[in-house]
Amino acid sequence: MLTAEYAVVNAGLDAVALKPKECDVRRALDIPLDIVAIDYEGRDHLPDQSVLARLAEEKDVRLTTPVRADGFDPLGDDSRFEWLPEGVGRVLVAGHGAYLTEKEQKRAIAPRLREARAVAPDAWVGTEGIERIALAAGGTQYELLSRRTKRDVRALRAAGFDGEIALYAPTVLSDDDDEILDAVGAYVSRRRPVARALPDECETDSDARGRARKILLKASRDFALIGSISDVRKRVDSLRDVGVDIVVGYPARGIDEFTE
């Protein structure tokens, strides 16, 4: 029987993804999930070492580390590697351009990812924009939920890939259209196929109307986990059925939804 007290557990999620610009990541201790993935939003927003160490005492903590960024560059400045507390794992990513300098953005990804995997063989590998390179690097493949997820995962499994697959998805435990658009409308509007389909300069939140609103609501169901707790659970179960191992939810309406 579903209960509000354990909503995030009943929804079937395995892990939570937190953004340190948005919340105090120590609140992960209040979320009844064992795995915590912490996004990278620039060096100024890295959690304190003591905070990461405290979280690692009770959770499986994974910190996103862009392999092109100074401090995390295995072929250059790798000073942040030793800074990471014991017990804190990594998510190796190419790195979002918004959080990298122009010089960092020009660095080659493939050799850095290969070297970083050699140093941290248990790291997850973020696949966004570098799917083939990530697959070649091996390790847990950390993918974004998309319209192609089920098809792609089936194909990987059919081809013999037996490694772990983790899936990231903004999550909204509500079936109210306005609440969904306020939480994930802007996010889904940036996904390439959605951006191409949307009218120019349209609203992307609950103020969206007409064709834009229809596109955004449809895309929200493609690129996010939304709906009632039971609806999200059914979606999560269907993803497991095709071969997804770990489902990571980002609390798009705020961390309180995952702690209640």
Side-chain angles (χ1 to χ4, degrees), residues 225-243:
L225 295 173
I226 61 171
S228 67
I229 297 170
S230 59
D231 287 342
V232 170
R233 181 57 180 259
K234 289 176 184 176
R235 182 92 182 277
V236 169
D237 288 345
S238 73
L239 291 165
R240 293 194 198 287
D241 287 343
V242 299

Side-chain angles (χ1 to χ4, degrees), residues 15-18 35-40 46 60-69 72 81 84 88-96 112-113 116-117 120-128 130 134 138-144 166-168 246 248:
V16 58
L18 298 181
I35 305 172
V36 180
I38 299 174
D39 289 352
Y40 181 84
L46 280 173
D60 177 354
V61 180
R62 295 192 169 269
L63 180 69
T64 296
T65 58
V67 296
R68 293 182 292 175
F72 296 116
F81 286 168
L84 286 175
V88 175
R90 302 181 208 165
V91 179
L92 305 175
V93 298
H96 193 298
R112 288 175 167 79
L113 199 58
R117 275 271 297 142
D122 63 343
W124 292 4
V125 180
T127 66
E128 184 180 12
I130 57 165
T140 298
Q141 301 290 290
Y142 190 29
E143 305 197 358
L144 296 181
L167 187 70
Y168 172 100
I246 300 171
V248 184

Side-chain angles (χ1 to χ4, degrees), residues 98-223:
Y99 306 125
L100 300 176
T101 66
E102 185 175 349
K103 181 179 179 181
E104 289 170 342
Q105 291 177 43
K106 294 178 180 178
R107 292 172 179 163
I109 298 167
R112 288 175 167 79
L113 199 58
R114 182 177 62 246
E115 185 64 24
R117 275 271 297 142
V119 174
D122 63 343
W124 292 4
V125 180
T127 66
E128 184 180 12
I130 57 165
E131 288 82 358
R132 291 185 179 180
I133 296 174
L135 190 59
T140 298
Q141 301 290 290
Y142 190 29
E143 305 197 358
L144 296 181
L145 177 63
S146 75
R147 292 171 176 168
R148 294 173 50 94
T149 294
K150 285 188 176 181
R151 179 173 55 183
D152 289 348
V153 173
R154 282 195 189 100
L156 280 174
R157 295 306 189 193
F161 179 76
D162 60 1
E164 203 168 49
I165 297 175
L167 187 70
Y168 172 100
T171 302
V172 181
L173 301 178
S174 170
D175 53 13
D176 181 276
D177 287 350
D178 283 347
E179 292 180 359
I180 289 167
L181 290 180
D182 282 339
V184 300
Y187 170 82
V188 301
S189 74
R190 295 190 294 270
R191 301 300 293 267
R192 191 170 301 171
V194 185
R196 288 197 298 261
L198 284 172
D200 292 339
E201 299 182 1
C202 65
E203 300 290 345
T204 60
D205 58 10
S206 58
D207 291 329
R209 294 292 181 266
R211 179 167 167 266
R213 187 177 181 90
K214 291 180 181 179
I215 291 171
L216 289 166
L217 286 172
K218 172 63 170 63
S220 296
R221 286 164 174 78
D222 292 333
F223 295 101

